[in-house]
Amino acid sequence: MNKTLLFLSLCLITFTLGAQNNYIACGEQTGIWSYDTVFVGCDVSIPDGAMLQIEAGTKVVFLGHYAMHVQGTLKAIGIATDSIIFTVSDTTGFGDISNNQGGWNGLRFEDTPITNDSSLFDYCRLSFGKAVGDSVNCYGGAMRLLRFSKVAITHCRLSNNYSFYWGGAIFASKAHILLKDCLITDNYAGNTGMVYGYGGSLCFVSSNPILHQLRFHRNASTGIGGAVSFEYSNPEIINCIFINNYSGLGGALGFLRSEPDHAIANLLIANNESRFFGGGIACVAASPQMTNLTIVNNTSAMGGGLYCNETSDTKLYNSILYGNQTYDTLGSQVWIWDVYSEPGFYNCDIQYGYDTFGGSTFHGEYLECTEEDPLFSNPSEGIFKLTQESPCVNSGTIDTSGLMLPAFDLNFNPRIMYERIDMGVFEYDGPVGFTKKQENELYITVYPNPINEESVVSIGLPKAGNLTISLFDTKGQRIFQKDFGYQSPSDIRLTLLDLSFTNNSPPQGVYLLVAACGPFHKAIRLIVNEK
């Protein structure tokens, strides 16, 4: 925006100030913004030790490529019916990445002193942030965080932001921030040169972010991670949706040089695309452990679902890879570039099986997996819930300890609904018919359930062996185990007193009761209501 146009804009704004509750901001800012619109006419800053509070319904409009530098505390707390908006006054030229026209310069938390209180963003909308120029200015379109972690972003929408290099909407380095219940759409990272864009919407470097209940749609980058990229990072990612994102590697997610040991669970990754490798997820020198992913209908030149390279020992539990596409059946679900990568698959449903993995010879573990159609309820409409006949129902790992499972699935049903955990992001929650006892099969029932003092556990043992009964919570933590010693083939009835529940009943919740005898295992959901 040239100086003449800026001058005319300020004159028009000044003329309307008397008629409306507006404010022009420039330089240091503290106190409370309780206005209809705040027009930002130059770079603004919140000094160390000070706080700026923005009230619900305020629209913050940047009149040019200006930034808000936060060295103190910023609290922008809207409400569901009255968001706080951060945007630019004129988007003309936003798509021209050679200049800073059409965008604002974002929120900047750069070495903010940790003595300040946490900055909070709740029910905010951030759009048309544009990170261009030189050096660090090319990172983080709407928000850049360097070595500062005390930031929480909840119930927000980040859309149509751009960075020349990394983090179309947010770039975070050594910043362990929280994002929860946000919609993140149409952000872009990259340029036409050889310095590739990482993280179409979010890019994390040496960071341990918490990402819960996020939805990513139509984000793109030129390098890795159409929606999100992680490098030297340890994220917690739970109950997130990735749809229609695009990148060179990892259409939805890209992991670089990372060894995450936090929970990564309940991710729906559908209809994403990469130009080269990993339509769903790309792992390069990275070994995340992930559980209950549904990776479906993604597309890539190689590895439509998952790509591993540079000694990536990625582990997938209780997950579904189906309907992903490449130019050929070979490598449509998984592509392994090098002989040093050893991904492992445990209780997964993988279309075509490991014989059609592309690239180097697969020599990882492939245990208790199936290649059957997962029988989604309505995949043509993007509904990937399981039907009653699905082979993925009650087919997950029996022992879920160590998987760091969340309490709920993507639809906020208990993560374990019936006998044992299902494959994929959704637990089957429909009617369940009774299955008659098979000849060589252990069975277990509990009645009444929810339990009371009169509940009885019935166990049928097809063969002799040592009987052990364990109780797990929805996080997979074992909270009870009892060994009943050697038992002959028989039907056994146990009361809660036999299980030591009468005087030491677990707290209210949903549990998994597991009976094990020799090679036989069976599990059933146990419900404890409030006492």
Side-chain angles (χ1 to χ4, degrees):
M1 183 179 292
N2 60 48
K3 292 182 179 180
T4 301
L5 183 57
L6 175 58
F7 174 76
L8 292 174
S9 298
L10 288 172
C11 289
L12 178 61
I13 293 164
T14 303
F15 177 77
T16 60
L17 282 177
Q20 299 181 22
N21 184 26
N22 296 335
Y23 173 67
I24 297 177
C26 192
E28 286 193 358
Q29 302 292 317
T30 62
I32 298 175
W33 282 359
S34 181
Y35 304 101
D36 294 327
T37 304
V38 174
F39 294 98
V40 180
C42 72
D43 282 354
V44 295
S45 63
I46 304 170
D48 181 20
M51 181 175 74
L52 175 64
Q53 181 176 328
I54 305 176
E55 294 198 341
T58 300
K59 189 173 183 179
V60 182
V61 178
F62 290 78
L63 299 177
H65 194 249
Y66 306 127
M68 178 177 286
H69 299 275
V70 184
Q71 287 296 295
T73 300
L74 175 59
K75 294 188 185 294
I77 302 176
I79 58 176
T81 56
D82 212 1
S83 297
I84 296 170
I85 297 174
F86 294 84
T87 190
V88 70
S89 60
D90 184 359
T91 61
T92 303
F94 181 78
D96 186 349
I97 66 174
S98 66
N99 59 56
N100 62 18
Q101 298 299 303
W104 58 292
N105 200 18
L107 303 165
R108 306 306 183 203
F109 295 84
E110 298 173 334
D111 292 303
T112 304
I114 62 173
T115 52
N116 290 281
D117 195 5
S118 297
S119 287
L120 307 177
F121 298 86
D122 194 30
Y123 290 105
C124 294
R125 286 187 269 166
L126 293 82
S127 59
F128 296 103
K130 188 174 183 180
V132 294
D134 58 4
S135 187
V136 74
N137 292 313
C138 293
Y139 296 79
M143 189 178 298
R144 182 165 63 241
L145 304 105
L146 306 180
R147 298 169 291 275
F148 183 69
S149 301
K150 297 169 69 173
V151 173
I153 303 167
T154 56
H155 305 107
C156 290
R157 178 168 184 162
L158 295 90
S159 62
N160 296 292
N161 299 287
Y162 169 76
S163 69
F164 194 81
Y165 289 152
W166 296 357
I170 297 177
F171 173 77
S173 176
K174 297 182 180 179
H176 318 311
I177 64 173
L178 166 71
L179 287 96
K180 184 177 180 181
D181 295 308
C182 294
L183 175 62
I184 304 173
T185 70
D186 302 291
N187 302 285
Y188 183 71
N191 55 80
T192 57
M194 294 302 293
V195 179
Y196 294 109
Y198 289 7
S201 63
L202 310 178
C203 176
F204 296 96
V205 177
S206 302
S207 299
N208 305 333
I210 298 174
L211 311 178
H212 288 189
Q213 287 92 249
L214 305 179
R215 291 174 292 156
F216 298 88
H217 297 267
R218 300 182 303 276
N219 303 284
S221 69
T222 57
I224 187 169
V228 191
S229 69
F230 305 95
E231 185 172 17
Y232 298 113
S233 292
N234 189 4
E236 177 178 293
I237 317 171
I238 293 176
N239 284 18
C240 293
I241 297 173
F242 303 83
I243 296 178
N244 293 328
N245 302 284
Y246 176 87
S247 187
L249 279 71
L253 287 168
F255 293 90
L256 281 166
R257 294 173 280 276
S258 298
E259 301 290 333
D261 59 10
H262 293 155
I264 302 176
N266 296 348
L267 309 185
L268 174 59
I269 300 173
N271 301 316
N272 302 282
E273 182 179 355
S274 68
R275 183 179 181 183
F276 302 113
F277 298 103
I281 301 175
C283 297
V284 180
S287 302
Q289 174 180 294
M290 302 176 282
T291 185
N292 291 96
L293 276 58
T294 297
I295 306 173
V296 291
N297 301 343
N298 302 285
T299 304
S300 181
M302 287 166 276
L306 174 68
Y307 167 68
C308 294
N309 190 13
E310 294 187 29
T311 318
S312 291
D313 298 336
T314 304
K315 307 300 181 189
L316 274 183
Y317 295 82
N318 308 321
S319 296
I320 301 171
L321 288 92
Y322 218 86
N324 302 292
Q325 297 181 354
T326 57
Y327 301 131
D328 192 4
T329 299
L330 183 67
S332 61
Q333 308 308 309
V334 177
W335 193 280
I336 305 168
W337 180 264
D338 62 321
V339 296
Y340 303 106
S341 291
E342 292 188 19
F345 304 89
Y346 309 88
N347 294 79
C348 293
D349 187 349
I350 303 178
Q351 189 175 21
Y352 309 125
Y354 66 85
D355 287 337
T356 61
F357 287 3
S360 296
T361 301
F362 171 66
H363 49 86
E365 292 185 311
Y366 189 86
L367 304 178
E368 302 297 326
C369 294
T370 181
E371 294 84 45
E372 296 182 57
D373 188 326
L375 298 176
F376 296 123
S377 60
N378 196 352
S380 63
E381 297 297 324
I383 300 173
F384 300 104
K385 293 184 176 181
L386 304 176
T387 58
Q388 185 175 357
E389 297 79 17
S390 171
C392 302
V393 174
N394 292 336
S395 298
T397 51
I398 293 175
D399 184 358
T400 57
S401 58
L403 297 183
M404 297 172 286
L405 287 175
F408 302 98
D409 71 359
L410 189 61
N411 209 34
F412 282 91
N413 286 316
R415 183 58 268 192
I416 299 174
M417 285 287 292
Y418 294 108
E419 292 182 353
R420 70 197 233 197
I421 194 168
D422 297 344
M423 299 177 185
V425 294
F426 297 112
E427 285 289 302
Y428 173 70
D429 61 351
V432 176
F434 290 97
T435 303
K436 70 178 183 179
K437 177 183 173 183
Q438 302 297 317
E439 183 176 352
N440 288 314
E441 182 178 301
L442 185 152
Y443 78 88
I444 179 172
T445 64
V446 179
Y447 185 83
N449 191 12
I451 64 171
N452 58 38
E453 293 182 354
E454 298 180 355
S455 292
V456 173
V457 179
S458 299
I459 301 171
L461 302 179
K463 292 184 179 180
N466 291 314
L467 174 63
T468 301
I469 296 180
S470 306
L471 189 71
F472 296 88
D473 63 18
T474 54
K475 295 181 179 180
Q477 301 296 317
R478 185 169 60 196
I479 61 176
F480 168 85
Q481 181 170 300
K482 188 171 183 179
D483 188 355
F484 288 86
Y486 186 85
Q487 302 287 330
S488 301
S490 60
D491 292 330
I492 299 173
R493 290 168 58 86
L494 302 171
T495 67
L496 297 186
L497 181 61
D498 296 322
L499 297 176
S500 304
F501 279 4
T502 303
N503 298 320
N504 191 27
S505 178
Q508 179 182 4
V510 179
Y511 298 87
L512 192 68
L513 189 67
V514 180
C517 186
F520 300 99
H521 293 77
K522 201 69 174 180
I524 191 169
R525 187 175 62 150
L526 191 73
I527 302 173
V528 179
N529 282 339
E530 187 174 3
K531 300 177 183 178

